[in-house]
Amino acid sequence: MDAALEKRQVERAYELYAPVYDFIFDWIFSPGRDAAIRQLDLQRSDSVLEVGIGTGLNLPLYPPTCKLTGIDLSQEMLDKAVERVETLAMPNVTLKVMDATSMDFGDDEFDKALATYTISAVPDPVAVLREMRRVVKPGGVLVILNHFRSERRVMGWLEDLVAPVCTRLGWKSNLALKPLLAQVGLEPELIARVNMFNGWRLVKCINRK
Ligand SMILES: C[S@@+](CC[C@H](N)C(=O)[O-])C[C@H]1O[C@@H](n2cnc3c(N)ncnc32)[C@H](O)[C@@H]1O
């Protein structure tokens, strides 16, 4: 399956999910969201990039003093984020439709970057992480929150088994964390398990360039 087809699959999937996304992804996944924003350790006037911001469920967690840019491939998901920005009256937020594998930002534009529940939903996670590294300043912070392939044998095998179905639904069930980080030259400062059954991992890296 070629990358272009996968990108269309993601766009189609999130066009369908957008109206119902918040019902599923709000409360179940909120402990991880809180922990991810805490790990960003936001300072006054930090410039932050949120990759695959979706409907903007993290928006209420940002302090009003930081400058936030959110990007997403899906216009339908981003429309929901726009509504949320208006409801929350957040003039510090800019939202753009953009493919995270080739961002329209210059090098070292942001202090910090965050991707929650996104890295396994993008067609090319390596390209997205490389772009995150490029646009974040040296010494800046990258925080990734996601489900990754289990390191337990049976669970990992099950995740491999259901992978073709999950791919059709728009995400990868068996994305392995360590090879992914190694491919983009990131070394984690912290890996914590979060959410139900500790089934999701929160990864914090310093962008050493
Ligand atoms: C599971 S949702 C997560 C949304 C949000 N981060 C959250 O925490 O609820 C994955 C999001 O990644 C977006 N996405 C997938 N591929 C992308 C890409 N190449 N560039 C930007 N966004 C992408 C999807 O459109 C979708 O909104």
Side-chain angles (χ1 to χ4, degrees):
M1 191 178 294
D2 71 340
L5 180 61
E6 283 194 52
K7 186 174 157 183
R8 281 200 303 277
Q9 264 179 339
V10 170
E11 284 169 333
R12 265 204 306 268
Y14 284 94
E15 185 181 341
L16 286 174
Y17 298 153
V20 293
Y21 183 86
D22 290 0
F23 293 111
I24 306 158
F25 277 82
D26 193 354
W27 63 275
I28 302 179
F29 297 103
S30 75
R33 295 180 190 287
D34 292 333
I37 299 281
R38 268 198 309 277
Q39 284 304 328
L40 281 177
D41 189 23
L42 290 169
Q43 306 297 311
R44 277 189 83 80
S45 76
D46 266 350
S47 64
V48 186
L49 172 67
E50 189 175 326
V51 174
I53 191 168
T55 62
L57 283 172
N58 296 330
L59 285 169
L61 306 176
Y62 287 99
T65 50
C66 73
K67 185 173 166 248
L68 174 67
T69 304
I71 62 166
D72 203 284
L73 194 61
S74 163
Q75 180 68 64
E76 289 76 13
M77 294 290 276
L78 216 54
D79 287 346
K80 297 278 176 191
V82 170
E83 283 171 25
R84 190 165 260 123
V85 164
E86 282 165 6
T87 307
L88 296 169
M90 297 181 79
N92 56 320
V93 178
T94 306
L95 298 172
K96 292 181 183 169
V97 175
M98 198 185 290
D99 185 345
T101 59
S102 67
M103 299 185 199
D104 295 341
F105 303 119
D107 297 352
D108 309 339
E109 261 195 49
F110 298 94
D111 297 306
K112 294 167 183 179
L114 174 70
T116 58
Y117 311 117
T118 292
I119 283 301
S120 62
V122 298
D124 188 347
V126 170
V128 171
L129 285 177
R130 286 202 174 122
E131 276 294 82
M132 287 171 74
R133 290 205 64 188
R134 180 182 70 77
V135 301
V136 169
K137 292 172 186 165
V141 175
L142 283 84
V143 172
I144 303 149
L145 166 62
N146 219 89
H147 173 77
F148 291 99
R149 187 183 189 278
S150 175
E151 278 143 14
R152 283 178 291 166
R153 245 177 85 190
V154 174
M155 190 54 86
W157 176 79
L158 281 173
E159 287 164 351
D160 291 341
L161 196 70
V162 298
V165 179
C166 293
T167 303
R168 285 186 173 274
L169 296 173
W171 76 88
K172 299 179 178 78
S173 56
N174 60 348
L175 181 64
L177 175 60
K178 282 182 186 161
L180 177 66
L181 293 181
Q183 264 182 288
V184 292
L186 281 171
E187 277 184 30
E189 295 272 306
L190 167 121
I191 302 180
R193 292 187 180 267
V194 292
N195 289 340
M196 234 188 308
F197 314 118
N198 284 332
W200 282 257
R201 274 175 272 182
L202 177 60
V203 184
K204 177 179 182 176
C205 305
I206 303 298
N207 198 23
R208 303 194 198 288
K209 294 196 191 180

